[in-house]
Amino acid sequence: MKKIFTELSVLACFCLLLLSDVAFAQNVTVTGVVKDDQNLPIPSVSIMIKGTSNGVQTNAAGSYTISAPANATLVFSFIGFANQEIPVNNRTTINVTLLPSANDLQQVVVVGYGTQKKADVTGSISSVKGEDIEKFTVTNPIAALQGKVPGMTVANSGAPGASPIVRLRGIASTKYADPLYVVDGLLQDNIDFLNPNDIESIDLLRDASSTAIYGLRGANGVIAITTKRAAKGKTTINFQSTVGVQHVANRIDVVDADGFKKLYSAQLANAGLPPFDYTNFTANTDWQDQVLRNATINTNSLTISNSGEKSTTLLNVGYNNQDGVVKYNNYKKFVARLNEEIRINNNIKVGGNITGFHWRNQPTSVTLNRAIWAAPIAPIQVNDNTYYQMPSFQTQVLNPVAEMNRNRNTSINRGYRFNGSLYAEVKFLKDFTWKSTVYADLGFNNARSYTPLPFRFVRLGEGTLPTETVYDNSARTTVAQNTFEGRKYQQDHTLSYSKELNGGHRIDAVVGFTTVYMSNTSLNGSRRDTTLNVPFDPKFWYLSNNIINENNPTFNGGGGSEESNAGGFARVSYAYKNKYLLNATIRRDGSSRFAPKNRWGTFGSVGLGWVASEEDFFKNNIKGIDFLKLRAAWGRLGNSNGVDPNLYQLALTTGESAVFGNNVYPSIRNAYLPDENLRFEIVQGVDVGVELRALRSRLSAEVTYYNKTTDGILTQVILPSVSDNYFTNLGKLTNKGVEVSLGWNDVIGSDFRYNVTGNFSYNKNVVNSIGNTSNFQIVRGGGTNVTETGRSVGYFFGYKQIGIYQSSADLAKMASFPDSAPGDIAFQDTNGDGVINPLDRTYLGTPFPPYSYGLNLSMSYKGFDVAIEGQGVAGNHIYTQRRTGSFAVLNYETNRLNAWTAPGTSNVEPIINRNRANNYLFSSYFLEPGDYFRIRNVQLGYAFANAAMKSIGVQKLRLFISGQNIKTWTKATGYTPEAQISDMLQSGADNGIYPVPAVYSFGLNVTF
């Protein structure tokens, strides 16, 4: 046996040596040179033996040498060029020419009722991949777009579940400026129902020519979202999860107890009032610390997809749970989406998409300005049922902790939403495709709330007033209920034609018809108990139950509306030899919001493009530029957004009551003054741009100029001296701007890749005319915001501070109010008449950032990857409204420690004296720069090697850590410098807005 074993061992070794020699003998040494289409050598090209990890790179002269099996295939790859796979076939010399890939130009973008290659686009369309959104720990995908797209302003909120405010290319309307969202074809006003990890791509259509095909809905820009579909021929399971901690990095600087005593004592002394007795007020409470917290956020997404010969299926389930940085604030989001497509044959397919969305929101029960205003000298509480009252000078400021704890978990807010679509697509006569899609979107929200009995309060003694415990014996419990139901039905029918003709002609055309019907109803009511208090138990929080007396005081209300839109459209795209481009659209659209004579409009666009790099003279004479396109477009469309249905018709409401004898008779009056000529706004604009790819497509650049005008602005006019108001078409405004995008991507060696992109935008908003006279103004915000001819919409209007009156001598030589005194703010005498009065109020700046920019850097080395993203704005101002409260003595922000006390002590901060009313007039003193730059995201990830993962059944595994909003450079003093721009006519005020926190998270992405 031993002999046999020995002989077999020797034979085996011999065979192995023989096989090894044969294998070695089959290897060949291959040499060659790699060049581009301009016949220039390309260094650092990767040459890999297909199916292995063996490879080399070209040197500076583009040369390479590699040893490979005679039957192997070599893979040549370099960033910016199309990969090539070349069989060796026993050859020893292989020279290769790589062609520019221009992958981003070949990608398909959504252009409205269809798609188009980026290279053929003649308008301004930017795309963001879903994988770039997945890098952010957010509950709303739009929050991740901040700083990524030129011409796009995103104002985020840190409140759980809050939707960001988005503006594309400025303010196109004074009433409603939100863009239109199109989710897989369904028109939407928001995308709260989407799972951020379930998005394939987002295309942003910014110019009038790109959005004209949407008629009356696309004037503010369009954000088209494509959700994920199953990859062909694959069955995969993907799970993504992140866990993070949110932290308020920038708190508002207010004084502590010692600082408060110093400043309040000075205030009393300056007003000639006796000092306050601080004997019982020995606390040093940080109220912000009491209401804010480090909060968790968790996002999860599970996707199961399968694609067979005849059908594809994708199921996505998402769960997000976000605690607010304000205590007891929470938002939960559950999303499930099913997509199915069945291919009956090569020409017919049907499919559907359905999404279910459920949310639960526990709102914050305390406003942050309470924590900013509350005096730090007051203690918090005695026990769980007894709290300390604020000092007598703050009777209108509630104890923030007591308010927060009293209303903790007293609201039940839930919503359900279901939307979906069914479609059928038929291809016929080779070049034609008919597609019909029907959509439905149903939403149901309901809420219940409870007002419990108040706590007992200890009123600390002040001077001769003793300490005592007080309780509001008149307080009663209250319950409230409200429901909302919304419905939307949409249908789209399109016939498309696509044909490549001889001679380099290519035509794509689509015609279609679409309708949208929307309706909503709401009911609300509340009931206050007068005999028996309702328990702290949600099962009793109904308007009618076995505890509340049905005869108790009840308040109720409700509302609803319905409207419809219909339109027909056509688009044709033509290209000749991929260098001369034409895109034209036309749409006839109507809306029931307006009177029959004003419902319909005709809109359209024309776009031209010239790909100069495809010309022979360019190819033969200009080196280094791979792609150059010049484009210009014009578009005209309407805007019906932001106007309630049927405002052109008369509506009645109850008015004042009158007594005649022993009877009371209610009166009826107009709810508003109807305008029977009310119509949609007309928006039209031009767009001119150049797109460039150079240096083997490593350098990319795009520059665009636009000019967009809105005519017949839909505006609510409040008539002076009467309570009536009306909507009408009033005036014209223009947005002009420039957008610049730059990018550089390259590879160093075989493993290190990097990409740097940046974008910059400038937008100038001007009201060209408004009203029938040049001095007509729309005033909002109590006079702080004004809209008038020659200025931007909703600009800040007030007095301009030029210093502080230091002495009586200053007052004698400077313009002033009659009652101004040393220590007061010195205002500019704008009209030069020698006195300060309301006529000296002037333009103080805009709340809307005219400049915005973003900078993104990504790098990868083997399995490691790093991404750094920054974003900022400039040129706007923020109104620190939180500092202007005059109803009570408020805590002081630290800037007041530098207040004027004597000549020369300050030329910025006025004297602390609430009797000096002029110092509380709206002026530039209350404005601060809104400029900021923020490190938006830093992420470090590691993807494990595929070979190692496949052995355990894993296709891909990536782990990462990230930090969002980790550092902000700004002069703004609030929780966040992001401008509040939701209301166009009165934006920019900071009254203790919800913080945008820093988020530190860890996550994984695994695919089976």
Side-chain angles (χ1 to χ4, degrees):
M1 180 65 70
K2 181 178 181 182
K3 182 178 180 181
I4 294 174
F5 179 81
T6 302
E7 290 175 350
L8 289 174
S9 300
V10 172
L11 180 61
C13 290
F14 177 80
C15 291
L16 288 173
L17 290 172
L18 180 62
L19 290 172
S20 177
D21 288 341
V22 171
F24 182 80
Q26 288 180 342
N27 274 19
V28 294
T29 300
V30 182
T31 61
V33 178
V34 182
K35 296 183 179 181
D36 61 15
D37 57 340
Q38 306 295 324
N39 204 33
L40 297 174
I42 309 177
S44 301
V45 175
S46 173
I47 302 102
M48 304 292 294
I49 301 174
K50 188 175 181 178
T52 74
S53 58
N54 301 325
V56 297
Q57 281 190 319
T58 58
N59 59 21
S63 301
Y64 73 94
T65 299
I66 188 172
S67 178
N71 60 351
T73 297
L74 300 182
V75 180
F76 296 79
S77 62
F78 188 69
I79 193 166
F81 290 84
N83 290 355
Q84 283 200 44
E85 296 187 5
I86 300 178
V88 174
N89 289 339
N90 246 343
R91 290 178 292 175
T92 58
T93 302
I94 299 177
N95 295 321
V96 179
T97 298
L98 294 182
L99 299 176
S101 62
N103 288 329
D104 59 332
L105 299 173
Q106 300 305 313
Q107 76 178 71
V108 173
V109 297
V110 174
V111 292
Y113 305 99
T115 59
Q116 193 174 30
K117 287 184 179 180
K118 174 66 174 173
D120 295 338
V121 170
T122 55
S124 292
I125 301 178
S126 297
S127 297
V128 179
K129 297 178 180 178
E131 60 192 45
D132 293 327
I133 298 170
E134 293 172 0
K135 293 179 181 179
F136 287 82
T137 306
V138 293
T139 58
N140 189 301
I142 297 300
L145 297 182
Q146 195 174 39
K148 292 183 179 296
V149 178
M152 181 182 193
T153 301
V154 179
N156 282 316
S157 170
S163 298
I165 303 299
V166 179
R167 299 288 178 261
L168 293 176
R169 289 187 168 179
I171 307 300
S173 173
T174 59
K175 178 59 180 175
Y176 187 90
D178 292 355
L180 171 68
Y181 297 93
V182 182
V183 183
D184 295 328
L186 178 60
L187 307 187
Q188 299 284 13
D189 294 323
N190 66 73
I191 55 171
D192 297 338
F193 62 93
L194 282 182
N195 180 358
N197 293 327
D198 190 31
I199 293 175
E200 183 67 31
S201 64
I202 298 180
D203 298 301
L204 297 102
L205 289 64
R206 304 191 301 279
D207 69 302
S209 71
S210 299
T211 61
I213 198 167
Y214 289 102
L216 291 170
R217 297 295 303 278
N220 297 319
V222 175
I223 299 178
I225 298 165
T226 303
T227 56
K228 292 180 178 179
R229 298 292 186 269
K232 292 184 178 180
K234 289 185 178 181
T235 299
T236 61
I237 299 175
N238 176 262
F239 178 69
Q240 301 178 57
S241 181
T242 61
V243 177
V245 176
Q246 305 165 97
H247 170 70
V248 180
N250 301 308
R251 297 193 177 186
I252 295 176
D253 289 332
V254 294
V255 298
D256 59 8
D258 289 339
F260 181 87
K261 291 176 181 178
K262 173 185 176 181
L263 294 179
Y264 185 49
S265 296
Q267 177 177 318
L268 293 173
N270 292 334
L273 298 173
F276 183 78
D277 181 7
Y278 296 104
T279 302
N280 293 322
F281 292 89
T282 58
N284 185 17
T285 303
D286 185 339
W287 293 106
Q288 291 182 85
D289 191 57
Q290 293 297 316
V291 302
L292 296 174
R293 64 177 175 181
N294 291 334
T296 61
I297 181 172
N298 175 226
T299 66
N300 303 275
S301 179
L302 174 65
T303 302
I304 303 173
S305 64
N306 176 68
S307 178
E309 182 180 351
K310 289 292 186 179
S311 65
T312 59
T313 304
L314 183 142
L315 173 66
N316 176 267
V317 179
Y319 168 67
N320 298 332
N321 185 3
Q322 182 181 10
D323 287 327
V325 291
V326 176
K327 291 180 179 178
Y328 314 136
N329 189 191
N330 176 265
Y331 177 79
K332 291 181 175 66
K333 176 177 178 178
F334 308 84
V335 183
R337 185 178 69 90
L338 176 64
N339 172 259
E340 179 77 21
E341 181 177 273
I342 300 173
R343 294 178 288 276
I344 297 174
N345 55 43
N346 292 336
N347 296 319
I348 302 175
K349 61 182 178 181
V350 296
N353 195 64
I354 184 169
T355 300
F357 168 50
H358 171 52
W359 57 266
R360 300 176 184 176
N361 184 33
Q362 185 62 52
T364 175
S365 58
V366 62
T367 55
L368 283 175
N369 53 19
R370 295 273 200 277
I372 301 167
W373 294 340
I377 61 174
I380 302 171
Q381 64 189 106
V382 177
N383 53 49
D384 289 344
N385 295 308
T386 306
Y387 289 78
Y388 287 98
Q389 199 173 66
M390 305 310 294
S392 60
F393 53 77
Q394 282 199 329
T395 55
Q396 295 144 305
V397 177
L398 301 178
N399 180 316
V401 175
E403 182 184 11
M404 180 175 62
N405 290 343
R406 180 190 180 191
N407 296 299
R408 177 184 181 183
N409 299 328
T410 56
S411 295
I412 300 174
N413 299 277
R414 295 179 179 177
Y416 302 86
R417 190 168 176 181
F418 305 93
N419 64 61
S421 63
L422 293 173
Y423 69 87
E425 182 178 292
V426 180
K427 294 183 178 180
F428 61 98
L429 298 179
K430 189 178 178 179
D431 304 315
F432 291 88
T433 302
W434 174 268
K435 184 176 182 180
S436 290
T437 310
V438 292
Y439 306 85
D441 187 3
L442 309 176
F444 311 92
N445 300 349
N446 61 76
R448 291 182 289 143
S449 62
Y450 168 69
T451 304
L453 295 175
F455 296 117
R456 294 184 178 276
F457 283 90
V458 175
R459 181 187 297 156
L460 292 174
E462 301 175 13
T464 59
L465 297 175
T467 296
E468 60 179 338
T469 300
V470 297
Y471 180 77
D472 184 3
N473 290 305
S474 64
R476 292 292 184 269
T477 56
T478 302
V479 296
Q481 279 185 261
N482 66 75
T483 62
F484 172 86
E485 182 178 310
R487 293 182 175 89
K488 179 188 296 181
Y489 302 103
Q490 177 182 328
Q491 59 173 327
D492 296 340
H493 307 283
T494 60
L495 174 64
S496 59
Y497 171 78
S498 181
K499 183 72 171 179
E500 290 195 19
L501 305 172
N502 294 332
H505 302 276
R506 178 161 44 87
I507 297 176
D508 293 280
V510 62
V511 296
F513 173 74
T514 179
T515 66
V516 179
Y517 170 80
M518 295 174 286
S519 68
N520 66 79
T521 59
S522 64
L523 290 172
N524 59 81
S526 65
R527 178 166 286 168
R528 178 174 177 265
D529 181 68
T530 57
T531 55
L532 184 64
N533 290 314
V534 179
F536 196 108
D537 188 336
K539 68 184 180 183
F540 296 107
W541 299 351
Y542 296 96
L543 294 184
S544 178
N545 57 45
N546 57 357
I547 290 183
I548 292 185
N549 188 329
E550 293 185 359
N551 295 320
N552 284 352
T554 303
F555 304 92
N556 54 68
S561 66
E562 57 182 317
E563 62 178 287
S564 59
N565 295 76
F569 55 86
R571 177 179 63 238
V572 62
S573 300
Y574 168 76
Y576 175 65
K577 292 187 176 180
N578 295 324
K579 56 184 176 182
Y580 304 121
L581 310 173
L582 167 68
N583 290 286
T585 65
I586 187 170
R587 175 156 179 159
R588 180 71 172 168
D589 213 14
S591 171
S592 66
R593 293 186 178 187
F594 306 99
K597 65 179 181 180
N598 292 328
R599 284 178 178 169
W600 291 90
T602 301
F603 314 104
S605 68
V606 176
L608 299 174
W610 176 40
V611 184
S613 54
E614 291 293 318
E615 299 285 1
D616 291 337
F617 75 85
F618 195 102
K619 294 179 180 178
N620 296 332
N621 298 288
I622 300 177
K623 307 297 182 182
I625 296 180
D626 309 307
F627 178 85
L628 176 64
K629 180 173 74 175
L630 306 178
R631 54 178 174 79
W634 168 89
R636 174 186 171 93
L637 63 164
N639 182 26
S640 63
N641 301 312
V643 178
D644 293 334
N646 305 317
L647 283 179
Y648 65 92
Q649 293 179 321
L650 180 66
L652 301 176
T653 186
T654 56
E656 302 297 331
S657 299
V659 179
F660 294 92
N662 296 323
N663 298 317
V664 178
Y665 296 92
S667 66
I668 297 176
R669 64 178 183 84
N670 290 340
Y672 50 82
L673 298 179
D675 181 359
E676 62 180 13
N677 295 314
L678 192 70
R679 61 170 176 82
F680 45 78
E681 299 170 341
I682 298 294
V683 179
Q684 63 181 13
V686 295
D687 192 85
V688 180
V690 57
E691 299 175 24
L692 172 74
R693 304 292 183 274
L695 303 176
R696 300 193 293 272
S697 289
R698 289 177 295 179
L699 174 66
S700 61
E702 186 170 350
V703 180
T704 302
Y705 166 80
Y706 63 87
N707 186 335
K708 180 174 65 174
T709 299
T710 304
D711 190 20
I713 305 170
L714 290 168
T715 304
Q716 180 185 19
V717 178
I718 301 175
L719 299 177
S721 303
V722 296
S723 58
D724 289 326
N725 64 84
Y726 70 102
F727 271 98
T728 189
N729 299 98
L730 193 68
K732 179 193 297 185
L733 64 87
T734 297
N735 286 276
K736 297 179 182 180
V738 177
E739 299 167 350
V740 180
S741 296
L742 293 173
W744 176 268
N745 61 85
D746 201 359
V747 59
I748 300 175
S750 59
D751 297 310
F752 183 76
R753 297 174 180 268
Y754 69 96
N755 179 279
V756 181
T757 61
N759 65 78
F760 167 82
S761 306
Y762 168 72
N763 179 80
K764 184 177 182 180
N765 175 275
V766 175
V767 177
N768 305 111
S769 64
I770 191 166
N772 297 322
T773 60
S774 60
N775 62 353
F776 186 89
Q777 295 179 329
I778 300 175
V779 181
R780 294 292 188 272
T784 60
N785 298 88
V786 168
T787 300
E788 66 178 350
T789 302
R791 296 291 189 181
S792 65
V793 172
Y795 73 86
F796 289 121
F797 179 72
Y799 298 94
K800 186 175 182 179
Q801 181 185 18
I802 58 174
I804 299 292
Y805 298 116
Q806 300 293 329
S807 62
S808 298
D810 278 354
L811 289 167
K813 64 182 180 181
M814 299 173 66
S816 64
F817 283 105
D819 56 349
S820 293
D824 286 350
I825 297 175
F827 298 122
Q828 184 179 73
D829 182 13
T830 305
N831 60 7
D833 63 358
V835 296
I836 302 297
N837 57 39
L839 296 178
D840 291 304
R841 291 177 297 171
T842 186
Y843 174 86
L844 297 179
T846 175
F848 305 104
Y851 303 96
S852 61
Y853 55 95
L855 181 63
N856 307 299
L857 169 66
S858 62
M859 299 174 288
S860 65
Y861 178 75
K862 294 186 176 180
F864 291 94
D865 62 87
V866 176
I868 303 174
E869 302 183 12
Q871 167 268 331
V873 304
N876 64 303
H877 287 81
I878 296 173
Y879 169 32
T880 55
Q881 189 179 34
R882 63 180 190 273
R883 295 176 175 174
T884 62
S886 58
F887 56 86
V889 175
L890 308 178
N891 193 17
Y892 307 91
E893 295 189 26
T894 53
N895 61 296
R896 299 299 281 144
L897 291 170
N898 300 316
W900 185 92
T901 56
T905 54
S906 176
N907 204 36
V908 175
E909 293 293 333
I911 188 173
I912 299 179
N913 187 339
R914 298 193 70 82
N915 293 334
R916 305 281 187 91
N918 294 337
N919 295 330
Y920 293 92
L921 296 172
F922 179 67
S923 71
S924 59
Y925 169 75
F926 293 106
L927 295 178
E928 55 190 18
D931 309 4
Y932 73 87
F933 177 73
R934 171 177 287 162
I935 301 297
R936 189 76 175 90
N937 189 41
V938 176
Q939 188 172 111
L940 171 63
Y942 180 76
F944 290 86
N946 289 340
M949 291 295 100
K950 287 182 179 179
S951 63
I952 59 174
V954 176
Q955 294 185 26
K956 181 179 70 174
L957 173 62
R958 179 176 179 269
L959 305 178
F960 61 89
I961 56 174
S962 68
Q964 292 173 211
N965 309 318
I966 57 177
K967 177 64 179 177
T968 303
W969 288 269
T970 181
K971 293 182 179 179
T973 57
Y975 288 118
T976 175
E978 295 191 36
Q980 301 303 293
I981 54 175
S982 57
D983 188 331
M984 281 62 67
L985 294 175
Q986 51 180 9
S987 287
D990 179 354
N991 199 20
I993 56 179
Y994 207 102
V996 175
V999 184
Y1000 302 93
S1001 57
F1002 165 82
L1004 64 87
N1005 187 333
V1006 58
T1007 301
F1008 299 94

